[in-house]
Amino acid sequence: MSVKTERTVVTGIASVVLAGLIAVLKLLGGTLAEHTFLFFGAREAGTGIVELIALETSKQTKAPLEAMHKKIWLVDSKGLIVSSCKNSLQHFKKPWAPEHEPVKDLLDAGKAIKSTVLIGSPRVERTFTKEVIEAMASFNEKPLIMALSNPTLQSKCTAKEAYTWSQGHAIFASGSPFDPMEYNDKVFVPGQANNAYIFPGFSLGLVISGAIHVHDEMLLVTTEALAEQVKNKNLDKGLIYPPFCNIRKISGYIAANVAAKAYELGLATRLPRCDNLLKHAKSCMYTPNYRSFR
């Protein structure tokens, strides 16, 4: 099994973002198909996230992937990506250029399509301005703001800005860590969309099953397994990812689900399948126990 490093990183970002979106539906209501996504950033990392969201939405609705193109919109440095600019687009952007009049910037794009979710991936700091956040809050009861850039200095906006500019209505997650903050006597806990939620468990699932290929359905089951680890007590604080202190438990659960999918798809080579994949995954984890010396 050989996967290019760049593609693997993109896949990890996409998986953790999608997991957050699935988890947050408990707060926002509706299904993925009922929300409208606006992406600032149309490089391969951004379109990689888009493709996985479209794949999961298509899986849930049984609708073709093409049906997702009017629910997922991208903005690059020249404005909203639409069909009239297709001839000048890179190949990975072209599928995401629906019919729409040109829109020059992120603020006007959000207003035009009434996005419920705003996601930013390129390293261009402070692009989620006060006007952009206020607009999102004006047509959404609980806008989801995902400012994925890192390091912290290159974040699209800070957690404090997202919460204060939305008057405490935004749900915020970022690529960089931000401390919890209090606003109007309520404590908000920002989530961090970190690849470390995905890679240990996903890789372990491949190893314990002896998978010979990585299939899209393995990525989807990874995101679903991560989302299932988000509890109501986390969501009550606006946290759309499980606490990172539980990473071993999270990774074991993901590994078991990935391995199960590998066996289901006929891609596993470690036969026969063991009866309890979760127990087996945990037993294969390295535990750093050291002898004490005096």
Side-chain angles (χ1 to χ4, degrees), residues 47-100:
T47 55
I49 299 169
V50 165
E51 289 165 4
L52 198 63
I53 293 173
L55 192 63
E56 175 70 13
T57 308
S58 177
K59 173 186 170 184
Q60 291 181 3
T61 60
K62 311 298 183 186
L65 281 173
E66 291 73 19
M68 308 301 113
H69 290 183
K70 290 190 177 181
K71 301 297 291 184
I72 302 175
W73 301 78
L74 287 84
V75 172
D76 64 11
S77 59
K78 298 177 182 178
L80 191 66
I81 293 178
V82 293
S83 58
S84 60
C85 59
K86 254 187 178 180
N87 291 338
S88 62
L89 294 177
Q90 293 162 292
H91 67 92
F92 52 85
K93 296 181 184 181
K94 288 183 178 181
W96 306 100
E99 293 287 341
H100 196 282

Short mmCIF file of all heavy atoms in Angstrom, two decimals, residues 47-100:
data_model
loop_
_atom_site.label_atom_id
_atom_site.label_comp_id
_atom_site.label_asym_id
_atom_site.label_seq_id
_atom_site.Cartn_x
_atom_site.Cartn_y
_atom_site.Cartn_z
N THR A 47 -10.38 21.44 -1.74
CA THR A 47 -11.23 20.59 -2.56
C THR A 47 -11.23 19.15 -2.06
O THR A 47 -12.20 18.41 -2.25
CB THR A 47 -10.80 20.63 -4.04
OG1 THR A 47 -9.41 20.28 -4.15
CG2 THR A 47 -11.02 22.02 -4.63
N GLY A 48 -10.16 18.74 -1.38
CA GLY A 48 -10.15 17.42 -0.76
C GLY A 48 -11.20 17.31 0.33
O GLY A 48 -11.89 16.28 0.45
N ILE A 49 -11.35 18.36 1.13
CA ILE A 49 -12.40 18.39 2.15
C ILE A 49 -13.77 18.36 1.50
O ILE A 49 -14.68 17.62 1.90
CB ILE A 49 -12.26 19.66 3.03
CG1 ILE A 49 -10.91 19.67 3.75
CG2 ILE A 49 -13.39 19.74 4.04
CD1 ILE A 49 -10.58 20.98 4.42
N VAL A 50 -13.92 19.17 0.47
CA VAL A 50 -15.19 19.25 -0.26
C VAL A 50 -15.61 17.88 -0.80
O VAL A 50 -16.77 17.46 -0.67
CB VAL A 50 -15.06 20.27 -1.43
CG1 VAL A 50 -16.18 20.12 -2.42
CG2 VAL A 50 -15.02 21.69 -0.87
N GLU A 51 -14.65 17.19 -1.40
CA GLU A 51 -14.97 15.90 -2.01
C GLU A 51 -15.44 14.87 -0.98
O GLU A 51 -16.37 14.10 -1.24
CB GLU A 51 -13.74 15.37 -2.76
CG GLU A 51 -13.43 16.15 -4.03
CD GLU A 51 -12.03 15.87 -4.56
OE1 GLU A 51 -11.34 15.01 -3.97
OE2 GLU A 51 -11.64 16.52 -5.55
N LEU A 52 -14.82 14.88 0.20
CA LEU A 52 -15.22 13.90 1.22
C LEU A 52 -16.59 14.25 1.80
O LEU A 52 -17.40 13.35 2.07
CB LEU A 52 -14.17 13.83 2.33
CG LEU A 52 -14.25 12.57 3.19
CD1 LEU A 52 -13.98 11.31 2.37
CD2 LEU A 52 -13.28 12.64 4.36
N ILE A 53 -16.87 15.54 1.98
CA ILE A 53 -18.20 15.95 2.45
C ILE A 53 -19.26 15.54 1.43
O ILE A 53 -20.33 15.01 1.78
CB ILE A 53 -18.25 17.47 2.69
CG1 ILE A 53 -17.36 17.84 3.86
CG2 ILE A 53 -19.68 17.94 2.95
CD1 ILE A 53 -17.20 19.33 4.06
N ALA A 54 -18.96 15.76 0.16
CA ALA A 54 -19.91 15.39 -0.90
C ALA A 54 -20.13 13.87 -0.92
O ALA A 54 -21.25 13.40 -1.11
CB ALA A 54 -19.39 15.86 -2.25
N LEU A 55 -19.07 13.11 -0.71
CA LEU A 55 -19.16 11.65 -0.71
C LEU A 55 -20.05 11.17 0.43
O LEU A 55 -20.91 10.29 0.25
CB LEU A 55 -17.77 11.06 -0.59
CG LEU A 55 -17.62 9.56 -0.87
CD1 LEU A 55 -17.99 9.23 -2.31
CD2 LEU A 55 -16.19 9.11 -0.57
N GLU A 56 -19.86 11.72 1.63
CA GLU A 56 -20.68 11.33 2.77
C GLU A 56 -22.13 11.75 2.58
O GLU A 56 -23.06 10.99 2.89
CB GLU A 56 -20.12 11.96 4.06
CG GLU A 56 -20.96 11.73 5.30
CD GLU A 56 -20.96 10.29 5.79
OE1 GLU A 56 -20.12 9.48 5.33
OE2 GLU A 56 -21.81 9.96 6.65
N THR A 57 -22.34 12.94 2.05
CA THR A 57 -23.71 13.42 1.81
C THR A 57 -24.41 12.55 0.77
O THR A 57 -25.58 12.20 0.92
CB THR A 57 -23.69 14.88 1.35
OG1 THR A 57 -22.93 15.67 2.27
CG2 THR A 57 -25.11 15.45 1.27
N SER A 58 -23.69 12.21 -0.27
CA SER A 58 -24.24 11.32 -1.30
C SER A 58 -24.59 9.96 -0.72
O SER A 58 -25.63 9.37 -1.04
CB SER A 58 -23.23 11.17 -2.45
OG SER A 58 -23.69 10.27 -3.42
N LYS A 59 -23.74 9.46 0.16
CA LYS A 59 -23.99 8.17 0.81
C LYS A 59 -25.26 8.23 1.65
O LYS A 59 -26.08 7.30 1.64
CB LYS A 59 -22.79 7.81 1.70
CG LYS A 59 -22.99 6.58 2.56
CD LYS A 59 -21.81 6.39 3.52
CE LYS A 59 -22.09 5.31 4.55
NZ LYS A 59 -20.99 5.18 5.54
N GLN A 60 -25.47 9.34 2.37
CA GLN A 60 -26.62 9.46 3.25
C GLN A 60 -27.93 9.64 2.47
O GLN A 60 -28.97 9.13 2.87
CB GLN A 60 -26.43 10.66 4.20
CG GLN A 60 -25.35 10.46 5.23
CD GLN A 60 -25.21 11.65 6.16
OE1 GLN A 60 -25.97 12.63 6.08
NE2 GLN A 60 -24.23 11.59 7.06
N THR A 61 -27.86 10.36 1.36
CA THR A 61 -29.08 10.71 0.62
C THR A 61 -29.36 9.78 -0.55
O THR A 61 -30.43 9.84 -1.14
CB THR A 61 -28.97 12.14 0.08
OG1 THR A 61 -27.84 12.23 -0.81
CG2 THR A 61 -28.82 13.15 1.21
N LYS A 62 -28.36 8.96 -0.91
CA LYS A 62 -28.46 8.09 -2.10
C LYS A 62 -28.55 8.90 -3.39
O LYS A 62 -28.96 8.39 -4.43
CB LYS A 62 -29.67 7.15 -2.01
CG LYS A 62 -29.82 6.40 -0.70
CD LYS A 62 -28.65 5.49 -0.42
CE LYS A 62 -28.87 4.69 0.88
NZ LYS A 62 -27.69 3.90 1.26
N ALA A 63 -28.17 10.17 -3.31
CA ALA A 63 -28.19 11.04 -4.49
C ALA A 63 -26.82 11.03 -5.16
O ALA A 63 -25.80 10.78 -4.51
CB ALA A 63 -28.56 12.46 -4.09
N PRO A 64 -26.76 11.30 -6.46
CA PRO A 64 -25.46 11.34 -7.15
C PRO A 64 -24.60 12.48 -6.64
O PRO A 64 -25.12 13.50 -6.13
CB PRO A 64 -25.84 11.54 -8.62
CG PRO A 64 -27.21 12.15 -8.59
CD PRO A 64 -27.89 11.58 -7.38
N LEU A 65 -23.29 12.34 -6.79
CA LEU A 65 -22.37 13.38 -6.32
C LEU A 65 -22.66 14.73 -6.95
O LEU A 65 -22.48 15.78 -6.33
CB LEU A 65 -20.93 12.97 -6.63
CG LEU A 65 -20.28 11.95 -5.68
CD1 LEU A 65 -18.92 11.53 -6.21
CD2 LEU A 65 -20.14 12.53 -4.28
N GLU A 66 -23.11 14.72 -8.20
CA GLU A 66 -23.37 15.97 -8.91
C GLU A 66 -24.43 16.81 -8.20
O GLU A 66 -24.45 18.04 -8.30
CB GLU A 66 -23.82 15.70 -10.34
CG GLU A 66 -22.74 15.13 -11.25
CD GLU A 66 -22.41 13.67 -10.95
OE1 GLU A 66 -23.24 12.99 -10.31
OE2 GLU A 66 -21.33 13.21 -11.37
N ALA A 67 -25.32 16.14 -7.46
CA ALA A 67 -26.37 16.86 -6.75
C ALA A 67 -25.83 17.71 -5.61
O ALA A 67 -26.52 18.61 -5.11
CB ALA A 67 -27.41 15.87 -6.23
N MET A 68 -24.60 17.45 -5.19
CA MET A 68 -24.00 18.19 -4.08
C MET A 68 -23.42 19.53 -4.52
O MET A 68 -23.08 20.36 -3.70
CB MET A 68 -22.88 17.36 -3.44
CG MET A 68 -23.25 15.94 -3.04
SD MET A 68 -24.61 15.86 -1.87
CE MET A 68 -25.88 15.10 -2.87
N HIS A 69 -23.30 19.74 -5.82
CA HIS A 69 -22.59 20.91 -6.32
C HIS A 69 -23.30 22.23 -6.06
O HIS A 69 -22.68 23.29 -6.18
CB HIS A 69 -22.31 20.74 -7.81
CG HIS A 69 -21.29 19.68 -8.11
ND1 HIS A 69 -20.83 19.39 -9.37
CD2 HIS A 69 -20.64 18.81 -7.29
CE1 HIS A 69 -19.96 18.39 -9.31
NE2 HIS A 69 -19.83 18.04 -8.07
N LYS A 70 -24.56 22.19 -5.70
CA LYS A 70 -25.27 23.43 -5.39
C LYS A 70 -25.40 23.64 -3.89
O LYS A 70 -26.05 24.59 -3.45
CB LYS A 70 -26.63 23.45 -6.06
CG LYS A 70 -26.54 23.60 -7.58
CD LYS A 70 -27.90 23.85 -8.20
CE LYS A 70 -27.76 24.08 -9.71
NZ LYS A 70 -29.07 24.36 -10.36
N LYS A 71 -24.78 22.75 -3.11
CA LYS A 71 -24.79 22.90 -1.66
C LYS A 71 -23.40 23.23 -1.11
O LYS A 71 -23.25 23.58 0.05
CB LYS A 71 -25.29 21.61 -0.99
CG LYS A 71 -26.69 21.19 -1.41
CD LYS A 71 -27.73 22.21 -1.00
CE LYS A 71 -27.93 22.27 0.49
NZ LYS A 71 -29.00 23.20 0.89
N ILE A 72 -22.40 23.08 -1.97
CA ILE A 72 -21.02 23.31 -1.56
C ILE A 72 -20.39 24.33 -2.51
O ILE A 72 -20.31 24.09 -3.71
CB ILE A 72 -20.21 22.00 -1.59
CG1 ILE A 72 -20.87 20.94 -0.68
CG2 ILE A 72 -18.77 22.24 -1.14
CD1 ILE A 72 -20.21 19.58 -0.73
N TRP A 73 -19.96 25.46 -1.97
CA TRP A 73 -19.45 26.57 -2.77
C TRP A 73 -18.03 26.92 -2.33
O TRP A 73 -17.69 26.80 -1.16
CB TRP A 73 -20.35 27.79 -2.62
CG TRP A 73 -21.77 27.55 -3.02
CD1 TRP A 73 -22.73 26.91 -2.30
CD2 TRP A 73 -22.38 27.92 -4.25
NE1 TRP A 73 -23.91 26.88 -3.00
CE2 TRP A 73 -23.74 27.49 -4.20
CE3 TRP A 73 -21.93 28.60 -5.38
CZ2 TRP A 73 -24.62 27.72 -5.25
CZ3 TRP A 73 -22.82 28.83 -6.43
CH2 TRP A 73 -24.16 28.39 -6.36
N LEU A 74 -17.24 27.36 -3.28
CA LEU A 74 -15.84 27.71 -2.99
C LEU A 74 -15.54 29.14 -3.42
O LEU A 74 -16.04 29.61 -4.45
CB LEU A 74 -14.88 26.77 -3.72
CG LEU A 74 -14.76 25.33 -3.20
CD1 LEU A 74 -15.86 24.46 -3.76
CD2 LEU A 74 -13.40 24.74 -3.55
N VAL A 75 -14.72 29.78 -2.61
CA VAL A 75 -14.23 31.13 -2.92
C VAL A 75 -12.71 31.08 -2.96
O VAL A 75 -12.08 30.54 -2.05
CB VAL A 75 -14.68 32.15 -1.85
CG1 VAL A 75 -14.01 33.50 -2.07
CG2 VAL A 75 -16.20 32.31 -1.87
N ASP A 76 -12.14 31.62 -4.03
CA ASP A 76 -10.68 31.75 -4.08
C ASP A 76 -10.32 33.23 -4.11
O ASP A 76 -11.16 34.09 -3.82
CB ASP A 76 -10.08 30.97 -5.26
CG ASP A 76 -10.54 31.49 -6.62
OD1 ASP A 76 -11.16 32.59 -6.68
OD2 ASP A 76 -10.26 30.81 -7.63
N SER A 77 -9.11 33.56 -4.47
CA SER A 77 -8.64 34.95 -4.43
C SER A 77 -9.39 35.85 -5.39
O SER A 77 -9.36 37.08 -5.26
CB SER A 77 -7.14 35.01 -4.73
OG SER A 77 -6.87 34.46 -6.02
N LYS A 78 -10.08 35.25 -6.38
CA LYS A 78 -10.80 36.04 -7.38
C LYS A 78 -12.31 36.11 -7.11
O LYS A 78 -13.04 36.74 -7.85
CB LYS A 78 -10.56 35.45 -8.77
CG LYS A 78 -9.09 35.50 -9.17
CD LYS A 78 -8.86 34.86 -10.52
CE LYS A 78 -7.39 34.86 -10.90
NZ LYS A 78 -7.14 34.19 -12.21
N GLY A 79 -12.75 35.46 -6.05
CA GLY A 79 -14.17 35.48 -5.72
C GLY A 79 -14.82 34.12 -5.79
O GLY A 79 -14.13 33.08 -5.80
N LEU A 80 -16.14 34.10 -5.83
CA LEU A 80 -16.89 32.84 -5.86
C LEU A 80 -16.58 32.08 -7.15
O LEU A 80 -16.59 32.66 -8.25
CB LEU A 80 -18.39 33.14 -5.79
CG LEU A 80 -19.33 31.95 -5.56
CD1 LEU A 80 -19.11 31.34 -4.16
CD2 LEU A 80 -20.79 32.39 -5.71
N ILE A 81 -16.29 30.80 -7.03
CA ILE A 81 -16.00 29.98 -8.20
C ILE A 81 -17.31 29.58 -8.86
O ILE A 81 -18.14 28.88 -8.27
CB ILE A 81 -15.19 28.74 -7.81
CG1 ILE A 81 -13.80 29.16 -7.33
CG2 ILE A 81 -15.07 27.76 -8.97
CD1 ILE A 81 -12.92 28.03 -6.88
N VAL A 82 -17.51 30.05 -10.09
CA VAL A 82 -18.75 29.79 -10.82
C VAL A 82 -18.43 29.35 -12.25
O VAL A 82 -17.28 29.42 -12.70
CB VAL A 82 -19.64 31.06 -10.85
CG1 VAL A 82 -20.14 31.39 -9.45
CG2 VAL A 82 -18.90 32.25 -11.45
N SER A 83 -19.45 28.90 -12.95
CA SER A 83 -19.25 28.28 -14.27
C SER A 83 -18.64 29.23 -15.29
O SER A 83 -17.92 28.79 -16.20
CB SER A 83 -20.59 27.75 -14.79
OG SER A 83 -21.54 28.79 -14.86
N SER A 84 -18.89 30.52 -15.17
CA SER A 84 -18.39 31.46 -16.17
C SER A 84 -16.86 31.57 -16.18
O SER A 84 -16.28 32.07 -17.13
CB SER A 84 -19.00 32.85 -15.93
OG SER A 84 -18.66 33.33 -14.64
N CYS A 85 -16.20 31.09 -15.10
CA CYS A 85 -14.74 31.18 -15.07
C CYS A 85 -14.09 29.80 -15.22
O CYS A 85 -12.91 29.63 -14.93
CB CYS A 85 -14.27 31.84 -13.76
SG CYS A 85 -14.77 30.99 -12.25
N LYS A 86 -14.85 28.81 -15.69
CA LYS A 86 -14.35 27.44 -15.76
C LYS A 86 -13.09 27.30 -16.61
O LYS A 86 -12.19 26.51 -16.30
CB LYS A 86 -15.43 26.50 -16.31
CG LYS A 86 -16.06 25.61 -15.27
CD LYS A 86 -16.99 24.59 -15.88
CE LYS A 86 -17.56 23.68 -14.80
NZ LYS A 86 -18.48 22.66 -15.33
N ASN A 87 -13.02 28.04 -17.71
CA ASN A 87 -11.89 27.88 -18.63
C ASN A 87 -10.55 28.25 -17.99
O ASN A 87 -9.50 27.77 -18.43
CB ASN A 87 -12.11 28.73 -19.88
CG ASN A 87 -13.25 28.19 -20.75
OD1 ASN A 87 -13.58 27.01 -20.65
ND2 ASN A 87 -13.83 29.05 -21.57
N SER A 88 -10.58 29.08 -16.97
CA SER A 88 -9.33 29.51 -16.33
C SER A 88 -9.03 28.76 -15.04
O SER A 88 -8.05 29.03 -14.37
CB SER A 88 -9.41 31.01 -16.03
OG SER A 88 -10.45 31.29 -15.11
N LEU A 89 -9.88 27.79 -14.69
CA LEU A 89 -9.72 27.08 -13.42
C LEU A 89 -8.78 25.89 -13.53
O LEU A 89 -8.70 25.24 -14.58
CB LEU A 89 -11.09 26.58 -12.93
CG LEU A 89 -12.11 27.63 -12.53
CD1 LEU A 89 -13.43 26.96 -12.14
CD2 LEU A 89 -11.61 28.48 -11.37
N GLN A 90 -8.10 25.58 -12.42
CA GLN A 90 -7.34 24.34 -12.34
C GLN A 90 -8.31 23.16 -12.34
O GLN A 90 -9.46 23.29 -11.93
CB GLN A 90 -6.48 24.35 -11.07
CG GLN A 90 -5.38 25.42 -11.11
CD GLN A 90 -4.83 25.71 -9.73
OE1 GLN A 90 -5.52 26.27 -8.89
NE2 GLN A 90 -3.58 25.34 -9.49
N HIS A 91 -7.81 22.00 -12.75
CA HIS A 91 -8.70 20.85 -12.98
C HIS A 91 -9.48 20.45 -11.74
O HIS A 91 -10.64 20.03 -11.83
CB HIS A 91 -7.88 19.66 -13.49
CG HIS A 91 -6.92 19.10 -12.47
ND1 HIS A 91 -7.25 18.07 -11.63
CD2 HIS A 91 -5.64 19.45 -12.16
CE1 HIS A 91 -6.23 17.79 -10.83
NE2 HIS A 91 -5.24 18.61 -11.14
N PHE A 92 -8.88 20.58 -10.54
CA PHE A 92 -9.57 20.11 -9.34
C PHE A 92 -10.64 21.09 -8.85
O PHE A 92 -11.44 20.77 -7.98
CB PHE A 92 -8.57 19.83 -8.20
CG PHE A 92 -7.62 20.97 -7.90
CD1 PHE A 92 -7.98 21.99 -7.05
CD2 PHE A 92 -6.35 20.98 -8.47
CE1 PHE A 92 -7.11 23.02 -6.77
CE2 PHE A 92 -5.45 22.01 -8.18
CZ PHE A 92 -5.83 23.04 -7.33
N LYS A 93 -10.68 22.29 -9.44
CA LYS A 93 -11.72 23.26 -9.09
C LYS A 93 -12.94 23.15 -10.01
O LYS A 93 -14.06 23.53 -9.62
CB LYS A 93 -11.17 24.69 -9.18
CG LYS A 93 -10.06 25.03 -8.20
CD LYS A 93 -9.64 26.48 -8.38
CE LYS A 93 -8.46 26.85 -7.49
NZ LYS A 93 -8.07 28.27 -7.64
N LYS A 94 -12.74 22.66 -11.22
CA LYS A 94 -13.79 22.71 -12.23
C LYS A 94 -15.11 22.02 -11.84
O LYS A 94 -16.19 22.52 -12.17
CB LYS A 94 -13.26 22.14 -13.55
CG LYS A 94 -12.26 23.07 -14.22
CD LYS A 94 -11.80 22.53 -15.57
CE LYS A 94 -10.83 23.51 -16.24
NZ LYS A 94 -10.37 23.03 -17.55
N PRO A 95 -15.07 20.88 -11.11
CA PRO A 95 -16.35 20.28 -10.73
C PRO A 95 -17.17 21.14 -9.76
O PRO A 95 -18.37 20.91 -9.60
CB PRO A 95 -15.92 18.96 -10.06
CG PRO A 95 -14.56 18.69 -10.57
CD PRO A 95 -13.93 20.03 -10.75
N TRP A 96 -16.52 22.11 -9.13
CA TRP A 96 -17.18 22.92 -8.11
C TRP A 96 -17.42 24.35 -8.60
O TRP A 96 -17.22 25.31 -7.88
CB TRP A 96 -16.34 22.90 -6.83
CG TRP A 96 -16.07 21.49 -6.42
CD1 TRP A 96 -14.93 20.78 -6.62
CD2 TRP A 96 -16.99 20.60 -5.81
NE1 TRP A 96 -15.07 19.50 -6.16
CE2 TRP A 96 -16.32 19.35 -5.66
CE3 TRP A 96 -18.31 20.71 -5.38
CZ2 TRP A 96 -16.93 18.24 -5.10
CZ3 TRP A 96 -18.92 19.60 -4.81
CH2 TRP A 96 -18.24 18.39 -4.68
N ALA A 97 -17.88 24.44 -9.83
CA ALA A 97 -18.16 25.74 -10.44
C ALA A 97 -19.58 25.74 -11.00
O ALA A 97 -19.78 25.64 -12.21
CB ALA A 97 -17.14 26.04 -11.54
N PRO A 98 -20.59 25.86 -10.14
CA PRO A 98 -21.98 25.80 -10.59
C PRO A 98 -22.42 27.11 -11.27
O PRO A 98 -21.69 28.11 -11.27
CB PRO A 98 -22.75 25.58 -9.30
CG PRO A 98 -21.90 26.22 -8.25
CD PRO A 98 -20.48 26.02 -8.69
N GLU A 99 -23.59 27.08 -11.84
CA GLU A 99 -24.17 28.28 -12.45
C GLU A 99 -24.51 29.30 -11.37
O GLU A 99 -25.24 29.01 -10.42
CB GLU A 99 -25.44 27.91 -13.21
CG GLU A 99 -25.21 27.05 -14.44
CD GLU A 99 -24.60 27.84 -15.60
OE1 GLU A 99 -24.69 29.08 -15.58
OE2 GLU A 99 -24.02 27.20 -16.50
N HIS A 100 -23.96 30.49 -11.50
CA HIS A 100 -24.25 31.59 -10.57
C HIS A 100 -23.57 32.83 -11.10
O HIS A 100 -22.54 32.74 -11.76
CB HIS A 100 -23.73 31.27 -9.16
CG HIS A 100 -24.31 32.14 -8.08
ND1 HIS A 100 -23.90 33.43 -7.85
CD2 HIS A 100 -25.27 31.89 -7.17
CE1 HIS A 100 -24.59 33.95 -6.83
NE2 HIS A 100 -25.43 33.02 -6.40
#
